[in-house]
Amino acid sequence: MPTNHALLPERIQKLVNALSSGVYERENTIRLCLLAALSGESVFLLGPPGIAKSYIAKRLIKAFDNSSFFEYLMTRFSTPEEVFGPLSIQELKDNGKYVRLTEGYLPTADVVFLDEIWKAGPAILNTLLTVVNERVFRNGSEVLPVPMRLLVAASNELPEADSGLDALYDRMLVRVFVNRIQEKGNFKRLIVGEQGDTDAEIGADIAIKAQEYQLWQRQIDLVSLSDEVFEKIYALKRLLEREAEDGGHPFPAEELYISDRRWKKAVRLLKASAFFNGRNEVNPVDLLLLQECLWHSPESRSVVNAVMRQFAKQVCFNQQEALAVATDANDDVKELAEQVIDTLGHDVGTEVSMRKEKYLVDLSKARRYSVNSSHNLIKLVMLDSNPSVSEKEKGDSRWVYVDASEFEKKIKNGACDVYGYVNKNPNLCMLKFDVTGDLELMIKDIANRPVAVAIAGIDDDDAETFNAWQVTTEAAIAKVDDAKHMIRVARMQLNAALPHNFANSDLLELLANSITDAEEALQKQTAKFEKDAFRIRMLNEYFA
């Protein structure tokens, strides 16, 4: 794309800083207003009187080089002449034409601020709708282009229901609730007069020229919206629609209705955000801006904000999906691990000797092994992860070797100690065995917890089942790899979008923290999974 993206974000940030200088707790509002101006959209500021709404609008004119500003406070007595210019008496006398003198009025202004907009009459608002919608003003028989880059409308109320103003209100894409100053230090600086510069100083190097503004409008439309980002927008749309269908809100469901036109205009705002952040593709972080585009009233704003927080924490970077994929894989392997124990765990028989019941382990089919000078050893494979079965062998124990004759003799009485070898360690150590009430053979780990075992040569004779387990395990491992990849991509995409010139800082922090939380949750979730999966994957080698 022709614009130098490497320099544009820094320039926009300088512009935001200059416009925000000396204005307390209004930087986010100024950022959003500037983005709306840069993309040719309108802004509605909702809030009580005396909170610098007009001051913000006047500041924004400074962002544009050689630009004009029009400001008007609406009342129910306001006339079109006061907004669009008086009638030319001379033109009416000489030529009988109904023409307005528009110089210095709204039709010739670059930035327009209309306070208490809903108090205006239908004649003004209907004409304004045409100006906003088509960027033209019909002056007599002429259709004049309107240079307006930004309309900032403000009020301490919303348009009344059934007032016919829905069409105009819907075209005010960015909606910001401007509150009183909240932070104590800022409030003190305000009332004692430490307000800094009353006028923003914008350097010629960062002020926006008319020619480049027009160029940017064409370039914004070239920014791409990937299928992946579209799916996230659609997911947000469905979340809001479900809230509207829920019907449990103290306001009409229509207040959560979002027109197709609003969605389309909002997507162009996202493209503008990407463009002025130096990117040629919309990033999921840009979607946070939708929080200020989708509410209708203060009540619906609370719902939209809650949905956006849910979206940022769970959906924006596939955090919820990644954890769900990992959970699914974890459940698969957990179920498979239980199946392995149920299938391979050695069941002990019983016999009666001298009127006393004894345990019987038939080792006639068990494979024999040799370690050092010891022969006639059998191999018992651990079927579950464990910290170790011997203090002398740290780490997960996979198998043990014990003397067949000694083991067969001692296990008859149930719990017993038998010397043997752990894994590939050639040093003898004491091992503890036991038999459960369900006649299952167990070995005790160093925490004295029972671990099911199978005997090589006896319990591993079903090759087809082993192969099926391997297939299931590999599929589960692939799922976890996918989940990890999704979180890595999320981290990369987030980093690629930072710093962000327009996103709400609180939402941005929530989003960043959610990715960190997902990373940690995934790590905890897969800790035992990886041990169980590895054990099942290596069963053939363990029984060899």
Side-chain angles (χ1 to χ4, degrees):
M1 296 174 67
T3 295
N4 189 336
H5 281 187
L7 301 178
L8 189 55
E10 182 181 357
R11 179 180 173 186
I12 297 300
Q13 184 57 54
K14 288 180 179 179
L15 196 53
V16 169
N17 292 340
L19 293 171
S20 304
S21 176
V23 182
Y24 305 124
E25 299 180 22
R26 299 291 182 262
E27 184 177 283
N28 187 56
T29 302
I30 288 174
R31 288 176 185 273
L32 290 169
C33 289
L34 179 60
L35 177 60
L38 291 170
S39 55
E41 294 295 345
S42 301
V43 176
F44 176 65
L45 303 181
L46 177 65
I51 53 173
K53 296 192 291 289
S54 61
Y55 189 64
I56 290 170
K58 289 176 182 177
R59 282 242 168 164
L60 286 163
I61 190 63
K62 301 291 185 178
F64 300 95
D65 190 37
N66 295 322
S67 298
S68 58
F69 178 76
F70 178 77
E71 174 186 13
Y72 191 75
L73 172 63
M74 298 290 191
T75 71
R76 59 194 180 96
F77 303 108
S78 297
T79 64
E81 286 74 19
E82 294 168 309
V83 178
F84 303 108
L87 291 174
S88 172
I89 304 300
Q90 192 68 39
E91 189 71 23
L92 186 61
K93 285 173 56 178
D94 295 348
N95 303 309
K97 290 184 177 182
Y98 189 82
V99 176
R100 294 189 182 279
L101 301 173
T102 58
E103 188 63 36
Y105 290 86
L106 186 149
T108 60
D110 297 285
V111 177
V112 175
F113 175 64
L114 300 178
D115 202 1
E116 298 301 336
I117 185 171
W118 309 123
K119 287 185 169 60
I124 294 176
L125 295 175
N126 288 338
T127 303
L128 184 61
L129 178 60
T130 302
V131 171
V132 172
N133 201 34
E134 303 175 26
R135 287 297 195 272
V136 296
F137 176 71
R138 291 174 173 81
N139 194 11
S141 60
E142 290 186 279
V143 178
L144 304 175
V146 174
M148 184 173 67
R149 296 168 187 172
L150 174 66
L151 166 65
V152 180
S155 180
N156 56 13
E157 60 187 3
L158 296 175
E160 294 182 3
D162 303 321
S163 62
L165 299 173
D166 289 345
L168 179 58
Y169 185 45
D170 191 56
R171 282 166 174 78
M172 295 177 185
L173 178 62
V174 178
R175 297 168 177 173
V176 185
F177 178 74
V178 187
N179 204 353
R180 299 176 179 88
I181 289 176
Q182 303 295 306
E183 205 275 322
K184 180 179 178 181
N186 289 335
F187 180 66
K188 180 180 179 181
R189 281 188 285 273
L190 174 70
I191 62 175
V192 299
E194 298 176 16
Q195 197 167 350
D197 296 333
T198 58
D199 199 16
E201 294 294 332
I202 307 298
D205 57 325
I206 59 174
I208 300 167
K209 314 297 188 296
Q211 185 177 1
E212 62 182 351
Y213 178 84
Q214 296 303 324
L215 174 64
W216 289 346
Q217 300 313 299
R218 295 191 295 271
Q219 292 178 322
I220 287 170
D221 293 327
L222 299 178
V223 173
S224 64
L225 181 80
S226 67
D227 290 342
E228 179 188 3
V229 174
F230 165 76
E231 291 297 334
K232 291 183 172 68
I233 294 174
Y234 188 74
L236 176 61
K237 180 175 182 287
R238 291 296 299 133
L239 285 173
L240 290 167
E241 287 172 347
R242 281 196 286 271
E243 283 290 336
E245 293 164 3
D246 178 61
H249 304 297
F251 55 83
E254 291 75 17
E255 291 191 9
L256 287 173
Y257 167 76
I258 302 160
S259 69
D260 293 342
R261 174 179 57 232
R262 175 164 288 273
W263 279 112
K264 186 175 179 63
K265 289 165 73 68
V267 166
R268 190 173 188 278
L269 188 78
L270 301 181
K271 289 185 175 184
S273 171
F275 177 78
F276 292 108
N277 276 292
R279 290 179 271 107
N280 56 15
E281 184 176 69
V282 176
N283 184 287
V285 174
D286 297 315
L287 273 55
L288 301 182
L289 295 168
L290 293 173
Q291 175 170 273
E292 310 301 343
C293 299
L294 305 179
W295 60 271
H296 180 87
S297 65
E299 293 78 15
S300 65
R301 177 176 178 267
S302 297
V303 175
V304 169
N305 286 358
V307 170
M308 283 301 303
R309 288 180 67 84
Q310 177 189 353
F311 176 80
K313 289 173 66 176
Q314 300 178 353
V315 181
C316 190
F317 277 113
N318 301 319
Q319 306 98 305
Q320 187 180 45
E321 183 182 350
L323 292 178
V325 169
T327 298
D328 189 36
N330 198 54
D331 291 343
D332 289 346
V333 166
K334 183 179 179 181
E335 181 180 340
L336 189 57
E338 292 171 355
Q339 186 180 341
V340 167
I341 292 173
D342 291 342
T343 304
L344 299 183
H346 192 83
D347 294 327
V348 176
T350 60
E351 63 178 358
V352 178
S353 176
M354 299 178 66
R355 297 184 181 180
K356 187 177 181 181
E357 189 175 59
K358 300 285 187 179
Y359 295 115
L360 176 64
V361 178
D362 183 3
L363 300 178
S364 60
K365 294 183 180 180
R367 284 194 289 275
R368 296 305 195 265
Y369 298 83
S370 298
V371 178
N372 295 339
S373 59
S374 301
H375 307 289
N376 195 37
L377 303 178
I378 61 168
K379 187 178 191 180
L380 297 100
V381 176
M382 270 98 268
L383 301 179
D384 199 2
S385 57
N386 56 86
S388 182
V389 296
S390 171
E391 295 287 357
K392 294 182 179 180
E393 175 72 6
K394 302 299 182 184
D396 195 58
S397 297
R398 301 182 292 278
W399 63 78
V400 298
Y401 298 104
V402 296
D403 182 86
S405 300
E406 182 184 9
F407 180 77
E408 198 168 16
K409 177 181 177 182
K410 288 189 173 183
I411 200 64
K412 287 183 178 182
N413 296 316
C416 62
D417 296 341
V418 179
Y419 278 101
Y421 303 94
V422 180
N423 296 340
K424 297 180 180 181
N425 193 326
N427 299 313
L428 277 172
C429 57
M430 183 64 73
L431 305 171
K432 296 180 180 294
F433 291 91
D434 201 355
V435 178
T436 70
D438 295 327
L439 301 181
E440 297 168 331
L441 182 60
M442 297 285 172
I443 189 171
K444 297 292 188 71
D445 65 16
I446 56 176
N448 204 38
R449 290 173 298 199
V451 179
V453 294
I455 301 175
I458 299 177
D459 303 311
D460 58 334
D461 58 346
D462 190 346
E464 185 176 337
T465 298
F466 269 62
N467 290 336
W469 288 342
Q470 300 303 315
V471 171
T472 303
T473 302
E474 293 302 327
I477 291 172
K479 286 181 182 178
V480 169
D481 288 343
D482 286 344
K484 291 179 177 178
H485 176 71
M486 291 165 71
I487 296 300
R488 282 197 300 271
V489 169
R491 176 63 68 185
M492 290 170 57
Q493 287 183 317
L494 175 64
N495 292 340
L498 298 179
H500 199 284
N501 282 327
F502 309 107
N504 179 284
S505 57
D506 291 338
L507 265 185
L508 194 56
E509 183 179 1
L510 180 70
L511 176 60
N513 289 340
S514 75
I515 295 177
T516 300
D517 292 343
E519 290 169 335
E520 293 175 354
L522 189 59
Q523 186 176 4
K524 291 178 182 178
Q525 194 174 10
T526 58
K528 189 170 189 310
F529 165 87
E530 290 174 346
K531 288 184 178 181
D532 289 341
F534 182 79
R535 184 172 294 277
I536 297 169
R537 194 186 219 180
M538 301 298 292
L539 277 177
N540 283 320
E541 181 179 321
Y542 292 173
F543 278 100

